[in-house]
Amino acid sequence: MTDFESNSDGPDSGQPDAQKPSPKLLETLVCPATGGRLEYDAAKAELISKTARLAYPIRSGIPIMLIDEARKIEE
């Protein structure tokens, strides 16, 4: 069993190789900046920390949990 599930919605999905983290993995991963919960954003293939206002990218199915690699969320 893997920690990621295939999430290809066909060629028009914009991200045919995007993979959705399993619920088990999401329960395990926490924001490195705050230790808080992360939410999965399928459209951008990112894990979002609302508390830290950071978005951690998922590249080739691997969450990049480095603060220096995270995108700052502007509201």
Side-chain angles (χ1 to χ4, degrees):
M1 179 174 272
T2 64
D3 286 332
F4 288 89
E5 302 168 358
S6 179
N7 187 27
S8 62
D9 295 325
D12 296 329
S13 68
Q15 293 186 350
D17 295 329
Q19 294 181 348
K20 180 180 179 180
S22 72
K24 181 179 175 182
L25 181 62
L26 284 177
E27 288 175 17
T28 305
L29 291 176
V30 296
C31 174
T34 66
R37 192 170 79 91
L38 297 166
E39 294 181 17
Y40 177 62
D41 181 343
K44 294 182 181 175
E46 297 175 325
L47 295 175
I48 307 296
S49 172
K50 289 185 177 183
T51 305
R53 300 179 76 170
L54 293 172
Y56 298 94
I58 299 173
R59 297 186 189 130
S60 300
I62 301 169
I64 309 300
M65 303 306 295
L66 300 170
I67 295 170
D68 292 343
E69 294 287 323
R71 177 178 63 83
K72 291 181 176 141
I73 299 172
E74 304 292 332
E75 287 190 47

